[in-house]
Amino acid sequence: MKTKKLQDPENVLRGKGGEIHQTAGPEVPILTTQQGTPVSDDQNSFKVGPRGPATLEDFHLREKMFHFDHERIPERVVHARGFGAHGYFENYETLADVTSADLFQRPGEKTPAFVRFSTVAGNKGSADLARDVRGFAVKLYTQQGNWDIVGNNIPVFFIQDAIKFPDLVHAVKQEPDRDFPQAATAHDNFWDFISLMPESMHMIMWVMSDRAIPRSFRFMEGFGVHTYRLLNADGKSTFVKFHWKPKFGLQSVIWNEAVKINGADPDFHRRDLWNAIQTGDYPEWELGLQLFDDKFADEFEFDVLDATKLITEEQVPTRRVGRLVLDRCVDNFFAETEQVAFCTNNIIQGVDFSNDPLLQGRKFSYLDTQVKRLGGPNFTHIPVNAPKCPFHNFQQDGHMAMVNPKGRVNYEPNSWGGAAGGPRESHETGFQSFLAKEKGRKVRERSESFADHYSQARQFYISQTKVEQGHIAEALIFELSKVEKPAIRLRLVSHLPHIDPKLADRIAKGLGLRDKLEVPPPAKQPLPDLKPSKALSIALNGPKSFAGRKVGILVTDGTDRPLFDGLKSAIEAEGATLEVVAPTVGGVLASDGSIIEAQQKIGGGPSVLYDAVAVMPSADGVQALLKNAAAKDFVSDAFAHLKFIAYVGAAQPLFEKAGIAADLDEGCLILNAPKDAQTFVIACRKLRRWDREHIAMA
Ligand code: HEM
């Protein structure tokens, strides 16, 4: 069949039609069917003559097509787009005083973990920088079974009762007649629903803030949201809220940047996590526990069972009890990230639920959806979902059962005795629920203690810096400007005076509202005196160093080699990384004739992909950049996005062309000598030059 052996280190033959056949060798395994039958030709189907009809007996074609046709499984109904990685949780100290959970007993003990980050509303193929809540789901493979903390990057939620979840998700996703917009809240159905759900106002403040456009999964917090319980060996209960605090501090992008990143690199977040782990710069978070007792819960101004409320860290500080490190990318995205199944029901001895009605409802949701998504009840056998501790029970059969009981007995109690009788209960180590005393009539009603809808929305707003407040206002104006029906805009803005009258005015002006606001009477009068909380701002919780961040360096032929090397060393010494952006991806010839390798071509590496930039053309090289629109955007966007910019004198004509030469400020640092690089990197620790905003965004 094959006629010619080609010149190639691997065994490559060419078929009669010119097609390439790569063949097995001593170190190259033989391709087989799923049944193990070796395949002789994977390029051609079996036909009656080379130009004739296909034969029915071509079992290889049939099997290959059949399998391909079934490659897709339903995407998650929410949180469809996500990215996961393996790692471990390391416990700092024994927490035996508050919980008997095994993983918290021994200082220094490591528990394997799998984490999946996600957006909520978009489809699986949507872009990473959508304005959205991020899922932060952690599976801990403890010696007592799997414990999933299925959280988000925002500590509160839109709704108080699970019965509203399908409505919330229908409202936020694509509108059903047209199937757009996807991965966006800026449409009528979402704001219509929200304007009729005052309980969502606190969450809305968060979603309109820069929390909803994080720079990286690595630079965002995670929250369990609900109040849970911890139980110690004596059965004593302590309430708890879970927090994940990123080691590298908080950082978000700004909206104009998010829009452009979505075009330049829709996989920006997944690529960032992948690269960080592959290069050994392991992302890390500390687990913080807010612990409180019944007395605090009774005296707290809100209901601790209401998921639209948080407890500020000034009221209950977070006790840092361990760290979560992600140190291994998945081998196969589908097998691990797509098939992982987190569930709030996956809980271990020493932890328990509270009566939060949102949490209670979640317990009815995850298993159902996963049976549909993963095709049967045995998805717990998939390696990423299976416990790493021993597990035994009499559950059997079903689609694709991988873990099957041996022997004759598959029920209990039984009288077979000993090992032949199979697994038995354990009163010592078995899960014990908190025996809460419950009383009351059966009712379908909301607790009055949930009725304050605005106080914490206001507290969040006043906890933001002026710049952050401006971003919330701009986001609201942007989103509501996309709403076609004026009555919805008006109804939404009418809630805002309860949060902040000046904010309401600003939004009304920004939307050009002519109708008078009809402010709805609050179900409960908001509290006037909640204090701002520093922990709620991103700007006040930034990093202490520039580690983990990335600088984009624009170079041309003739770039000054010593200056470039000085900058590279300073960036790397800080624990940051750099990418070289050049006229071609083949790199440039530096001032000393050496090659500077490039990772991006201008245009392929716009400045939105970097935390700071350096503009280092030679005097000749800059002339070509002046004719390159992408080079102009590189500097004008970096300036508009308030980034720190290092530059050489030769960059001046490009700054003039980009219209920023007259506005250069202290965030723009000239590199005259290699030592100036250090000053630049130290400046970059602030991440952005916020006081440029009034010029850049005017
Ligand atoms: C009643 C309220 C809720 C319901 C009914 C619900 C339901 C769901 C469903 C059906 C999925 C898809 C699961 C899958 O296919 O594997 C999901 C995923 C998820 N939910 Fe919820 N959810 C609710 C509230 C929340 C809240 C309050 C949070 C955060 C605290 C949250 C965090 C997540 C996360 C992080 C995922 C993605 C898990 C992953 O990465 O696979 N959900 N939820």
Side-chain angles (χ1 to χ4, degrees), residues 101-103 106 109-112 140-147 348 387-391 429:
D102 184 70
L103 80 164
R106 296 162 292 277
E109 179 159 315
K110 290 184 178 168
T111 301
L140 296 159
Y141 304 90
T142 84
Q143 292 177 34
Q144 282 179 317
N146 289 353
W147 177 27
I348 51 168
K388 297 196 192 297
C389 64
F391 59 103
T429 61

mmCIF file of all heavy atoms in Angstrom, residues 101-103 106 109-112 140-147 348 387-391 429:
data_model
loop_
_atom_site.group_PDB
_atom_site.id
_atom_site.type_symbol
_atom_site.label_atom_id
_atom_site.label_comp_id
_atom_site.label_asym_id
_atom_site.label_seq_id
_atom_site.Cartn_x
_atom_site.Cartn_y
_atom_site.Cartn_z
ATOM 1 N N ALA A 101 -12.662 17.163 62.928
ATOM 2 C CA ALA A 101 -12.307 16.822 61.538
ATOM 3 C C ALA A 101 -10.854 16.383 61.491
ATOM 4 O O ALA A 101 -9.954 17.107 61.918
ATOM 5 C CB ALA A 101 -12.552 18.012 60.624
ATOM 6 N N ASP A 102 -10.656 15.202 60.934
ATOM 7 C CA ASP A 102 -9.346 14.550 61.004
ATOM 8 C C ASP A 102 -8.226 15.399 60.392
ATOM 9 O O ASP A 102 -7.126 15.469 60.920
ATOM 10 C CB ASP A 102 -9.452 13.201 60.283
ATOM 11 C CG ASP A 102 -8.180 12.397 60.385
ATOM 12 O OD1 ASP A 102 -7.891 11.926 61.497
ATOM 13 O OD2 ASP A 102 -7.484 12.276 59.363
ATOM 14 N N LEU A 103 -8.525 16.098 59.295
ATOM 15 C CA LEU A 103 -7.436 16.826 58.619
ATOM 16 C C LEU A 103 -6.909 17.988 59.441
ATOM 17 O O LEU A 103 -5.832 18.506 59.158
ATOM 18 C CB LEU A 103 -7.886 17.319 57.230
ATOM 19 C CG LEU A 103 -8.738 18.577 57.120
ATOM 20 C CD1 LEU A 103 -8.716 19.089 55.690
ATOM 21 C CD2 LEU A 103 -10.157 18.352 57.573
ATOM 22 N N ARG A 106 -3.518 17.351 63.177
ATOM 23 C CA ARG A 106 -2.063 17.240 63.301
ATOM 24 C C ARG A 106 -1.358 18.354 62.527
ATOM 25 O O ARG A 106 -1.502 18.437 61.292
ATOM 26 C CB ARG A 106 -1.607 15.869 62.772
ATOM 27 C CG ARG A 106 -2.160 14.714 63.616
ATOM 28 C CD ARG A 106 -2.093 13.391 62.900
ATOM 29 N NE ARG A 106 -2.994 13.315 61.760
ATOM 30 C CZ ARG A 106 -4.284 13.014 61.832
ATOM 31 N NH1 ARG A 106 -4.849 12.735 62.994
ATOM 32 N NH2 ARG A 106 -5.032 12.989 60.732
ATOM 33 N N GLU A 109 0.228 18.370 58.704
ATOM 34 C CA GLU A 109 -0.301 17.288 57.869
ATOM 35 C C GLU A 109 -0.820 17.835 56.540
ATOM 36 O O GLU A 109 -1.463 18.871 56.494
ATOM 37 C CB GLU A 109 -1.430 16.569 58.596
ATOM 38 C CG GLU A 109 -2.005 15.450 57.741
ATOM 39 C CD GLU A 109 -2.729 14.416 58.570
ATOM 40 O OE1 GLU A 109 -2.187 14.009 59.616
ATOM 41 O OE2 GLU A 109 -3.839 14.039 58.176
ATOM 42 N N LYS A 110 -0.529 17.097 55.468
ATOM 43 C CA LYS A 110 -0.982 17.528 54.145
ATOM 44 C C LYS A 110 -2.125 16.640 53.663
ATOM 45 O O LYS A 110 -2.035 15.412 53.743
ATOM 46 C CB LYS A 110 0.168 17.452 53.140
ATOM 47 C CG LYS A 110 1.241 18.508 53.391
ATOM 48 C CD LYS A 110 2.304 18.470 52.314
ATOM 49 C CE LYS A 110 3.326 19.564 52.563
ATOM 50 N NZ LYS A 110 4.515 19.426 51.739
ATOM 51 N N THR A 111 -3.171 17.272 53.154
ATOM 52 C CA THR A 111 -4.321 16.560 52.608
ATOM 53 C C THR A 111 -4.410 16.872 51.119
ATOM 54 O O THR A 111 -4.425 18.047 50.744
ATOM 55 C CB THR A 111 -5.614 17.042 53.322
ATOM 56 O OG1 THR A 111 -5.472 16.797 54.720
ATOM 57 C CG2 THR A 111 -6.844 16.350 52.797
ATOM 58 N N PRO A 112 -4.457 15.851 50.244
ATOM 59 C CA PRO A 112 -4.551 16.135 48.803
ATOM 60 C C PRO A 112 -5.822 16.920 48.471
ATOM 61 O O PRO A 112 -6.858 16.736 49.136
ATOM 62 C CB PRO A 112 -4.601 14.750 48.159
ATOM 63 C CG PRO A 112 -4.266 13.769 49.219
ATOM 64 C CD PRO A 112 -4.476 14.411 50.553
ATOM 65 N N LEU A 140 -11.322 18.255 49.172
ATOM 66 C CA LEU A 140 -10.239 17.800 50.047
ATOM 67 C C LEU A 140 -10.411 16.299 50.268
ATOM 68 O O LEU A 140 -11.461 15.857 50.767
ATOM 69 C CB LEU A 140 -10.304 18.552 51.377
ATOM 70 C CG LEU A 140 -10.063 20.070 51.251
ATOM 71 C CD1 LEU A 140 -10.625 20.830 52.437
ATOM 72 C CD2 LEU A 140 -8.581 20.361 51.091
ATOM 73 N N TYR A 141 -9.400 15.542 49.829
ATOM 74 C CA TYR A 141 -9.482 14.078 49.934
ATOM 75 C C TYR A 141 -8.951 13.682 51.311
ATOM 76 O O TYR A 141 -7.796 13.300 51.444
ATOM 77 C CB TYR A 141 -8.651 13.412 48.839
ATOM 78 C CG TYR A 141 -9.002 13.829 47.420
ATOM 79 C CD1 TYR A 141 -8.368 14.908 46.812
ATOM 80 C CD2 TYR A 141 -9.953 13.122 46.682
ATOM 81 C CE1 TYR A 141 -8.664 15.277 45.507
ATOM 82 C CE2 TYR A 141 -10.267 13.489 45.370
ATOM 83 C CZ TYR A 141 -9.614 14.569 44.795
ATOM 84 O OH TYR A 141 -9.912 14.936 43.502
ATOM 85 N N THR A 142 -9.775 13.812 52.335
ATOM 86 C CA THR A 142 -9.285 13.566 53.690
ATOM 87 C C THR A 142 -9.306 12.066 53.996
ATOM 88 O O THR A 142 -9.921 11.276 53.274
ATOM 89 C CB THR A 142 -10.125 14.306 54.760
ATOM 90 O OG1 THR A 142 -11.271 13.522 55.086
ATOM 91 C CG2 THR A 142 -10.571 15.676 54.281
ATOM 92 N N GLN A 143 -8.673 11.716 55.096
ATOM 93 C CA GLN A 143 -8.659 10.300 55.484
ATOM 94 C C GLN A 143 -10.012 9.848 56.010
ATOM 95 O O GLN A 143 -10.233 8.682 56.286
ATOM 96 C CB GLN A 143 -7.583 10.077 56.551
ATOM 97 C CG GLN A 143 -6.187 10.269 55.979
ATOM 98 C CD GLN A 143 -5.127 10.122 57.055
ATOM 99 O OE1 GLN A 143 -5.265 9.339 57.979
ATOM 100 N NE2 GLN A 143 -4.060 10.894 56.925
ATOM 101 N N GLN A 144 -10.917 10.829 56.211
ATOM 102 C CA GLN A 144 -12.280 10.490 56.652
ATOM 103 C C GLN A 144 -13.283 10.627 55.531
ATOM 104 O O GLN A 144 -14.475 10.754 55.777
ATOM 105 C CB GLN A 144 -12.727 11.478 57.724
ATOM 106 C CG GLN A 144 -12.188 11.270 59.088
ATOM 107 C CD GLN A 144 -12.736 12.372 59.983
ATOM 108 O OE1 GLN A 144 -12.790 13.538 59.594
ATOM 109 N NE2 GLN A 144 -13.133 12.001 61.186
ATOM 110 N N GLY A 145 -12.810 10.725 54.316
ATOM 111 C CA GLY A 145 -13.730 10.902 53.190
ATOM 112 C C GLY A 145 -13.555 12.274 52.555
ATOM 113 O O GLY A 145 -12.820 13.120 53.056
ATOM 114 N N ASN A 146 -14.237 12.458 51.437
ATOM 115 C CA ASN A 146 -14.080 13.717 50.694
ATOM 116 C C ASN A 146 -14.906 14.828 51.330
ATOM 117 O O ASN A 146 -16.076 14.642 51.651
ATOM 118 C CB ASN A 146 -14.529 13.534 49.244
ATOM 119 C CG ASN A 146 -13.550 12.683 48.464
ATOM 120 O OD1 ASN A 146 -12.473 12.350 48.979
ATOM 121 N ND2 ASN A 146 -13.907 12.326 47.251
ATOM 122 N N TRP A 147 -14.274 15.980 51.421
ATOM 123 C CA TRP A 147 -14.966 17.176 51.923
ATOM 124 C C TRP A 147 -14.863 18.247 50.840
ATOM 125 O O TRP A 147 -13.755 18.632 50.453
ATOM 126 C CB TRP A 147 -14.301 17.652 53.224
ATOM 127 C CG TRP A 147 -14.899 18.923 53.767
ATOM 128 C CD1 TRP A 147 -16.178 19.382 53.584
ATOM 129 C CD2 TRP A 147 -14.243 19.893 54.590
ATOM 130 N NE1 TRP A 147 -16.353 20.577 54.245
ATOM 131 C CE2 TRP A 147 -15.186 20.905 54.868
ATOM 132 C CE3 TRP A 147 -12.968 19.993 55.123
ATOM 133 C CZ2 TRP A 147 -14.878 22.014 55.659
ATOM 134 C CZ3 TRP A 147 -12.653 21.094 55.902
ATOM 135 C CH2 TRP A 147 -13.600 22.085 56.177
ATOM 136 N N ILE A 348 -17.550 15.913 56.152
ATOM 137 C CA ILE A 348 -16.865 14.918 56.986
ATOM 138 C C ILE A 348 -17.192 15.138 58.466
ATOM 139 O O ILE A 348 -17.656 16.224 58.850
ATOM 140 C CB ILE A 348 -15.329 15.007 56.792
ATOM 141 C CG1 ILE A 348 -14.849 16.455 56.956
ATOM 142 C CG2 ILE A 348 -14.914 14.416 55.471
ATOM 143 C CD1 ILE A 348 -13.363 16.598 57.061
ATOM 144 N N PRO A 387 -12.836 8.891 46.678
ATOM 145 C CA PRO A 387 -12.038 9.197 47.869
ATOM 146 C C PRO A 387 -10.663 8.540 47.750
ATOM 147 O O PRO A 387 -10.499 7.550 47.032
ATOM 148 C CB PRO A 387 -12.823 8.545 49.006
ATOM 149 C CG PRO A 387 -14.152 8.211 48.458
ATOM 150 C CD PRO A 387 -14.020 8.086 46.975
ATOM 151 N N LYS A 388 -9.695 9.100 48.457
ATOM 152 C CA LYS A 388 -8.370 8.472 48.487
ATOM 153 C C LYS A 388 -8.224 7.621 49.753
ATOM 154 O O LYS A 388 -7.207 6.977 49.956
ATOM 155 C CB LYS A 388 -7.275 9.537 48.413
ATOM 156 C CG LYS A 388 -7.338 10.299 47.082
ATOM 157 C CD LYS A 388 -6.082 11.067 46.787
ATOM 158 C CE LYS A 388 -6.273 12.046 45.631
ATOM 159 N NZ LYS A 388 -6.590 11.406 44.345
ATOM 160 N N CYS A 389 -9.250 7.649 50.611
ATOM 161 C CA CYS A 389 -9.252 6.752 51.770
ATOM 162 C C CYS A 389 -10.064 5.521 51.380
ATOM 163 O O CYS A 389 -10.798 5.557 50.393
ATOM 164 C CB CYS A 389 -9.868 7.456 52.976
ATOM 165 S SG CYS A 389 -11.593 7.888 52.756
ATOM 166 N N PRO A 390 -9.941 4.429 52.147
ATOM 167 C CA PRO A 390 -10.733 3.237 51.796
ATOM 168 C C PRO A 390 -12.230 3.560 51.840
ATOM 169 O O PRO A 390 -12.663 4.369 52.650
ATOM 170 C CB PRO A 390 -10.368 2.240 52.901
ATOM 171 C CG PRO A 390 -9.136 2.789 53.548
ATOM 172 C CD PRO A 390 -9.127 4.253 53.330
ATOM 173 N N PHE A 391 -13.011 2.943 50.954
ATOM 174 C CA PHE A 391 -14.472 3.106 51.040
ATOM 175 C C PHE A 391 -15.144 1.796 50.637
ATOM 176 O O PHE A 391 -14.679 1.101 49.728
ATOM 177 C CB PHE A 391 -14.973 4.298 50.218
ATOM 178 C CG PHE A 391 -14.661 4.253 48.747
ATOM 179 C CD1 PHE A 391 -15.638 3.909 47.817
ATOM 180 C CD2 PHE A 391 -13.393 4.582 48.285
ATOM 181 C CE1 PHE A 391 -15.348 3.880 46.463
ATOM 182 C CE2 PHE A 391 -13.097 4.552 46.927
ATOM 183 C CZ PHE A 391 -14.069 4.205 46.016
ATOM 184 N N THR A 429 -16.257 6.123 64.685
ATOM 185 C CA THR A 429 -15.752 7.057 63.665
ATOM 186 C C THR A 429 -16.825 7.513 62.684
ATOM 187 O O THR A 429 -16.576 8.384 61.859
ATOM 188 C CB THR A 429 -14.598 6.417 62.855
ATOM 189 O OG1 THR A 429 -15.123 5.269 62.204
ATOM 190 C CG2 THR A 429 -13.427 6.025 63.727
#
